[in-house]
Amino acid sequence: MTTPRTTTTAARQIHITGVVQGVGFRPFIYGLAQRYALTGWVRNTSAGVDIEVMGDPTALDAFIAAITAEAPPLSRIESVTTQPVAPDGYARFEIRESAAQDGAYQPISPDVATCDECLADVFDPADRRYRYAFTNCTNCGPRFTIIQDIPYDRPKTTMAPFAMCPDCQAEYDDPLNRRFHAQPNACPVCGPRLELVPSPACAVPPEWDDLPGDEIEAVRHLLRAGYSVAIKGLGGFHLACDATNPGAVHTLRQRKGRQAKPFAVMMSDLDTVRRLCEVNEAAAQALTSRERPIVLLPLKTGTAIAGNVAPGLRELGVLLPYTPLHHLLLEPAPDFPPALIMTSGNYSEEPIATCNADALDRLGPLADAFLLHNRDIHIRCDDSVVRALDDRVLPLRRSRGYAPYPIPLPFESPPLLATGAELKNTFCLARDRSAFMSQHIGDLSNYDALRSYEHSIDHLGRLFRVEPEAVAHDAHPDYLSSRYARERSEPRFAVQHHHAHLASCLAEHKVPSGQPAIGVIFDGTGLGPDGAIWGGEILVGDYASYERFAHLRYIPLPGGDAATLRPYRTALAHLWDAGIDWDDDLAPVRAASDQERTIIRQQLDRRINAPLTSSMGRLFDAVASLVGVLQAVTYEAQAAIQFEAQVDPNEPGAYPFEIITQPDGAPHVFDPASMWSALLDDLRSGVPAPHIASRFHNGIAAMICRACDLARQHTGIQTVALSGGVFQNVTLLQKTIPLLQASGFSVLTHRLVPPNDGGLALGQAAVAAVALQHG
């Protein structure tokens, strides 16, 4: 006699956190439910995604396993929690309306480069989105720059004014369509539109009336003819011109007030990049990733790229198209340039323009024409920048494509704000185990930048429901970010600049609280507790505290900030400190007039307007000046960057640095006097600059290794963290890491946030969080 089979029904409640909204997660769950014959519902909330699902227990287990195993490509699941519930008799599986929850939050997807499927639509003459510049789906397109609040639904984005046509609405409502609940979904019938207008401040191009009627073709015509065009993109305006036309590049430089700082260029595809630049596997992966950053690449010799695109450098910043508009503008053609300048739409040091009226007003004198559109940008977001290493990339600017995805913290943090630095500013909002790093804000040097900074803090605080209980800021009292912190009502933590760099590197590697490391922190400027300008530091510490184990010998910096713009002043100070005469055959001596040399010597002898500094960045400037690379700069670290470009990778020699042990337990001192003597001997013997540059880099790397070994002897610590803006120098990084590893050290370098001040806010937040934990 056969016993009848009984069907067991079970039910689960599931809560998912992470980047799970705006990435096709609900239709993905809907499809899984159909596959496993389950019933119930899924919905977005302010805290993530909630699911209630019912069916066969085995099918339920397979469903739950598939959530993490097959998650949509743009999602990033942080947690999946399940609990059994009583079956509720659901007849089908459905997607429910979103639900807001007071105080709850969930991460937001960054803007994402156009996917291959949407790109195929754009270039398919039979598709209704043929050549439509705003094509997107749940796998790509704008996110962060259009979101006004969460949950992420169309009414809470800048797409709210665009009512969908019946065809778009049908896609939006179909759970099995890749545009299901794609909030920016649109087409030529119902979506944003382009508009080409002449500049209000420049002469109208003579051929304006004869331009093609299609806006994109008209812009291509203007670019071919040597004009500059301001183009509204995802996170702001770009200024574009032909990167192979030296005259067009020169005109843009003059208008923008950007004398020598390199421009980024956009190329149509990876094959074009490989034709013009050296591209390793790590660089290729970054170029084609969904983040689409600018990647610094060695430029091949003899290419068509104009020499004034990146003067004095061997590298070129390259990015690939990341919106349909870019793909259409860069569409290859025999008479169209292989690369376009794509630089931020602003005057130097101003925030990037985002709205049409502001762009026409501020950028009018910079561009001959404006390609506008009528989809608002809610939050500005510059392009990200990375530099390719052998097997990975080093972030130099973390912004579009990466922000505001959180950095996981190794400990719980109360709600707090870290205000960041003065230059390359980003801020950080932390809560629970997440640090939400902002997009690149830039230099806080004017009112417009400060206003953008404050707007972004308010916006991200609202999105992630962070009401700070404390504010961390740099210990320098005159930074605008520090002044902003003082104007707020919350308790404040002043965090020493180089301690924050150390903590930033530790935090991104999830080093637990209380586990110390040796921090090699090299940069240009940071106020020390003794009132001097630090910057060549070996620290020993963790989040809670640090000790200064060693530093570069102090020198007076004649004229203070003036010396940062004129490296020959720093070179003269170093020669003076080393007891080396200012002979007329030396480049920095020739760069200063007799009167200026007299003033500088008085400043050094009498310590008049000559603050003491241990800055490693200034040492690089001084060497670059002495070798004759550059005597005056127009952008930060220009001399050091051009000096690195001189390096001969095959030169094994190294200049000596003495490490002096101080009495009474005072920090050790790196004395560069012997280095200066050896370098001058080489210079006067006619040793080529590339050999000198290599010997200097090799000497710094060897000095780091010796200093860390000394610190290990004193402390037993085996972990070294490399941070600070000097470690944007890939040559130094690649010489230092193998030496440390060969000496048995575990080496931490930046992978998630920049080593420069763009990563500082993460360290400030980590220091403050641990301080609050300890009362």
Side-chain angles (χ1 to χ4, degrees), residues 227-383:
Y227 293 105
S228 297
V229 182
I231 299 169
K232 188 177 183 181
L234 274 184
F237 277 78
H238 281 119
L239 292 167
C241 73
D242 179 357
T244 67
N245 184 333
V249 176
H250 176 72
T251 298
L252 183 56
R253 283 199 177 280
Q254 284 190 315
R255 291 176 175 179
K256 190 173 163 66
R258 189 164 174 162
Q259 297 179 39
K261 193 173 183 179
F263 284 136
V265 303
M266 183 176 282
M267 302 182 189
S268 61
D269 52 45
L270 189 58
D271 288 341
T272 302
V273 180
R274 284 186 165 131
R275 195 168 71 247
L276 299 174
C277 301
E278 301 290 345
V279 183
N280 64 17
E281 185 58 32
Q285 289 180 6
L287 284 164
T288 57
S289 69
R290 65 194 186 199
E291 292 86 3
R292 293 292 167 100
I294 297 168
V295 183
L296 300 186
L297 301 171
L299 181 64
K300 292 181 178 179
T301 58
T303 71
I305 301 297
N308 54 351
V309 171
L313 302 178
R314 295 178 181 176
E315 287 186 325
L316 187 66
V318 181
L319 75 165
L320 292 180
Y322 55 85
T323 69
L325 176 59
H326 293 147
H327 284 281
L328 292 165
L329 286 171
L330 271 292
E331 189 175 7
D335 62 343
F336 197 73
L340 297 178
I341 298 291
M342 280 285 180
T343 190
S344 54
N346 57 358
Y347 281 102
S348 292
E349 313 309 331
E350 287 186 356
I352 187 172
T354 56
C355 78
N356 294 346
D358 178 53
L360 289 166
D361 178 46
R362 284 204 290 135
L363 307 183
L366 307 187
D368 299 293
F370 285 73
L371 184 60
L372 310 173
H373 63 71
N374 59 341
R375 183 181 69 204
D376 288 344
I377 298 168
H378 187 68
I379 198 80
R380 58 173 46 89
C381 197
D382 290 82
D383 293 322

Side-chain angles (χ1 to χ4, degrees), residues 478-496:
D478 295 332
Y479 284 177
L480 276 180
S481 55
S482 299
R483 294 179 186 178
Y484 171 80
R486 290 200 299 272
E487 291 171 359
R488 295 181 64 107
S489 61
E490 300 91 349
R492 297 189 306 275
F493 290 86
V495 182
Q496 199 279 326

